[in-house]
Structure formats: structure tokens, C-alpha cells
Amino acid sequence: GENVEQHPSTLSVQEGDSAVIKCTYSDSASNYFPWYKQELGKGPQLIIDIRSNVGEKKDQRIAVTLNKTAKHFSLHITETQPEDSAVYFCAAYSSASKIIFGSGTRLSIRP
Amino acid sequence: NAGVTQTPKFRVLKTGQSMTLLCAQDMNHEYMYWYRQDPGMGLRLIHYSVGEGTTAKGEVPDGYNVSRLKKQNFLLGLESAAPSQTSVYFCATDTLIGTQYFGPGTRLLVL
């Protein structure tokens, strides 16, 4: 079946540094790529998304890039802050497969 | 506007007992989903519904049943709970373009 691979599974960065999480998808019909942030004890929340007709999207300190040819997309967080510590999930959506989630990245921000 | 709510928040069951998890939404979304989240496994789809009166199997449906009698409610049933069903369960709704809104989760422990 279709799948989404996410790397790394854990990531620790110094406060103020940048963090990058990468995902690869298999369904070439995927056309929507959301990223979710899950804080401890809560459900995942959408933080940014990108559609297949766009290569990059930015919202303040977070940005997402998409390479449809290579079938991979990435989340970039700049100037990391303690409140960025959480588990991040990428996902790929197509009308056939619906939404498929990556396995998650646990991001820790070191003070 | 409560969004997506889940009942109960936490439950302890003995092996063989049954229970029903309730998901309610006031967002008027057609699609609803049930996921389970286990450590290191990300989110795995149990069952989903594309509208009132419809249900479909996801990636890990065995041991679970669902019903969508009303558009705003999606019920997940465990007929005979097993320790392997110890997990955190999330309900989500979908905007038809892939953006999902998650409930706060139900933590289930099966002894």
C-alpha cells in the first residue's frame, strides 16, 4: 500500500537554531501535504500545509518545501524556541488513498 | 464552538469487557475518522466514515466496530477488549481537502 516515510524520528536542537524534518511519499497522486504538531497530552493540530502546485510556503518561523518530482517534502523551523518542543507529523493526501501520516518526529529544544 | 470532542478522556477495562468511545463534532464536516496512536507507531487509521450512515475499514480495523447514525457523531466500539488495544484513540474530522481536525484523545488501558 501507499506510505509516507518521515525522518528523523527524534531531533534535538539548540534553542535559536533551525530544525528540519523530511518526508517522502509513495502515492504520485498525492496533492495536499499538511504538517501537524502534537503537544503532550493533546491531539495533533495543523500548523502549515502545502498543495502540489506550490513549491514553498512560509508562515513566520515555519516553512514547508515540496519537490513533486522526487516525491518529498520538508518542514523547516527557524529560530527555534522552547514551545516548539513537540511531536511533528507529516501527511500526504490523495482522493484515492485519503490521508496517510508519517510516523512522527519528536523535536526537543535544548536551552 | 467546541470543534471535536471525545468521551471519555480515560478508561480502564478488563480483558473481555466492552465499551464505546464517542466522538462528536459541531463543524458540519462530512468525513470522520478513528485513529489509534501507539508509541513509535504514529497514527494508524481504524475506521472512517464519508457521511451519515456510511462506514469503511482503515488500516487496523480488527476488533473494532463503528457507527455513524448522525452526521455529528461517530462511535467506536470494542466488543471484547484485549490488552493489545491499550492505546490512545483520536477522532478527527475532515474538510474534504485533507485538513483534519483532531479531538483531544481517549486514553484506554486494557488489563
Side-chain angles (χ1 to χ4, degrees), chain B residues 9-82:
Chain B
K9 289 185 171 54
F10 176 69
R11 184 77 184 269
V12 179
L13 288 179
K14 294 181 180 178
T15 296
Q17 287 185 318
S18 63
M19 78 164 293
T20 299
L21 284 68
L22 170 64
C23 176
Q25 56 118 344
D26 61 5
M27 307 173 83
N28 203 33
H29 290 165
E30 290 292 337
Y31 286 27
M32 296 186 74
Y33 303 80
W34 276 107
Y35 294 92
R36 60 177 289 172
Q37 185 177 38
D38 303 297
M41 298 290 290
L43 293 158
R44 291 188 292 170
L45 181 64
I46 304 171
H47 285 281
Y48 66 98
S49 168
V50 300
E52 182 178 324
T54 74
T55 62
K57 294 181 180 180
E59 179 187 355
V60 289
D62 294 341
Y64 305 95
N65 57 76
V66 288
S67 65
R68 183 97 181 267
L69 299 179
K70 294 182 179 180
K71 183 178 182 178
Q72 62 267 35
N73 294 338
F74 195 26
L75 305 178
L76 178 70
L78 286 74
E79 289 188 350
S80 179

Side-chain angles (χ1 to χ4, degrees), chain A residues 17-106:
Chain A
D17 287 350
S18 296
V20 180
I21 302 170
K22 298 181 179 182
C23 290
T24 303
Y25 61 97
S26 61
D27 185 356
S28 56
S30 297
N31 56 11
Y32 175 65
F33 307 90
W35 285 88
Y36 292 84
K37 176 182 181 182
Q38 185 178 26
E39 296 177 338
L40 196 61
K42 296 183 179 180
Q45 276 198 307
L46 180 74
I47 55 171
I48 194 168
D49 55 14
I50 191 167
R51 300 202 174 273
S52 58
N53 57 348
V54 175
E56 183 174 358
K57 183 177 179 180
K58 190 174 181 180
D59 182 4
Q60 299 183 345
R61 295 186 298 107
I62 59 173
V64 58
T65 58
L66 171 66
N67 183 329
K68 283 222 75 178
T69 303
K71 291 195 281 188
H72 64 72
F73 56 113
S74 301
L75 177 72
H76 305 252
I77 305 174
T78 59
E79 301 172 12
T80 53
Q81 300 170 4
E83 56 264 36
D84 295 329
S85 292
V87 178
Y88 292 81
F89 292 97
C90 65
Y93 175 87
S94 73
S95 57
S97 303
K98 302 304 176 192
I99 191 163
I100 301 175
F101 286 89
S103 55
T105 296
R106 184 174 298 278

